[in-house]
């Protein structure tokens, strides 16, 4: 191995500039991802909220789905399909993504973006309130091995309970925005979303059915695995 040349990765990024922030530094090491950047652009040009999952957490979703060989993933909150593509990329061959989205126009864009990324036949988009869709999935006896919770924050504890109920043994649960841009840690904030996310964060840390942890980078990400009985 000695003396072997390390091949230089060529892209548009300036490799000499060292970002000051750890998150920006690590981000700068990764090659660009035209597929995901195109999705972000479709969200921007429609004036939709630019709140897709952080690229680093998107890569984590892909990595985790791939490492457990996820066959059935459930996403709560599709927006424009950014995290959907990240999840779909990690699915086992023949694996499927079910995505729950309240707004028909968002669901339509997410479906189109997933199709453009080559996952059109691997995704099932359920439009409407996630609580309703979850009830239906449970009634049908559907189960999943990967969950990504990223919709209305007031319902995080409810979504976590559904995830545990629909989980195959050893399933993984990830949830975005556990810091609520600082509001989670701000004692002056006591609104419903903040209280729900604080409760959700405690459940991840303490529930006997879970092995959980919290990643504090970006806006916070919770991770848990559902213990095998
Ligand atoms: N996971 C996406 C971002 C989701 S943003 C990504 O990273 O690419 C949150 C999404 O949740 C929005 O699209 C919003 O319309 C949706 N949402 C909000 N309340 C909802 C509800 N009650 N049921 C289903 N989806 C909901
Ligand atoms: C915000 C960010 C998110 O990732 C999300 O799912 C919802 C809201 C925000 O920054 O407001
Ligand atoms: Mg989010």
């Amino acid at each position: 191995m000695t003396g072997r040349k390390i091949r230089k990765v060529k892209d548009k990024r300036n490799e000499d500039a060292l970002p000051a922030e750890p998150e920006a530094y690590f981000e700068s090491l990764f090659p660009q991802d035209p597929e995901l950047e195109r999705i972000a652009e479709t969200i921007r040009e429609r004036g939709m909220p630019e709140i897709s999952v952080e690229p680093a957490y998107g890569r984590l979703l892909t990595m985790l789905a791939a490492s457990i060989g996820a066959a059935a993933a459930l996403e709560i909150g599709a927006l424009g399909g950014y995290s959907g593509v990240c999840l779909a990329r990690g699915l086992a061959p023949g694996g499927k993504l079910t995505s729950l989205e309240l707004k028909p126009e968002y669901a339509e864009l997410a479906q189109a973006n997933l199709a453009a990324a080559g996952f059109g036949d691997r995704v099932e988009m359920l439009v409407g309130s996630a609580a309703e869709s979850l009830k239906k999935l449970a009634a049908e006896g559907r189960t999943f091995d990967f969950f990504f919770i990223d919709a209305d924050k007031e319902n995080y504890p409810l979504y976590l309970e559904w995830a545990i109920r629909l989980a195959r043994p050893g399933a993984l649960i990830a949830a975005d925005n556990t810091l609520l841009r600082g509001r989670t840690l701000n004692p002056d904030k006591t609104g419903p979303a903040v209280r729900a996310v604080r409760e959700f964060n405690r459940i991840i840390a303490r529930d006997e059915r879970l092995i959980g942890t919290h990643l504090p980078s970006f806006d916070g990400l919770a991770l848990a695995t559902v213990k095998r009985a």
Side-chain angles (χ1 to χ4, degrees), residues 51 150 153 176-177:
I51 53 173
D150 194 20
K153 311 310 168 195
D176 195 25
N177 311 110

Side-chain angles (χ1 to χ4, degrees), residues 51-54 148-151 153 156 175-177 219:
I51 53 173
S52 303
V53 74
E54 289 288 341
F148 181 47
I149 299 172
D150 194 20
K153 311 310 168 195
Y156 267 34
D176 195 25
N177 311 110
D219 199 23

Side-chain angles (χ1 to χ4, degrees), residues 199-208 210-214:
E199 185 196 344
F200 173 91
N201 289 343
R202 273 194 304 270
I203 301 170
I204 290 289
R206 290 175 167 268
D207 196 290
E208 296 283 348
L210 302 175
I211 303 169
T213 194
H214 286 289

Side-chain angles (χ1 to χ4, degrees), residues 20-73:
E21 297 303 321
E23 290 158 345
Y25 163 66
F26 288 119
E27 194 55 42
S28 76
L29 304 180
F30 287 85
Q32 294 184 315
D33 191 326
E35 188 79 67
L36 293 179
E37 282 157 24
R38 193 195 56 76
I39 293 175
E41 179 57 30
T42 66
I43 291 168
R44 260 194 304 279
E45 66 195 16
R46 280 164 183 75
M48 290 162 58
E50 294 175 41
I51 53 173
S52 303
V53 74
E54 289 288 341
Y57 284 160
R59 285 189 292 270
L60 180 63
L61 295 177
T62 304
M63 203 191 95
L64 290 172
S67 64
I68 65 164

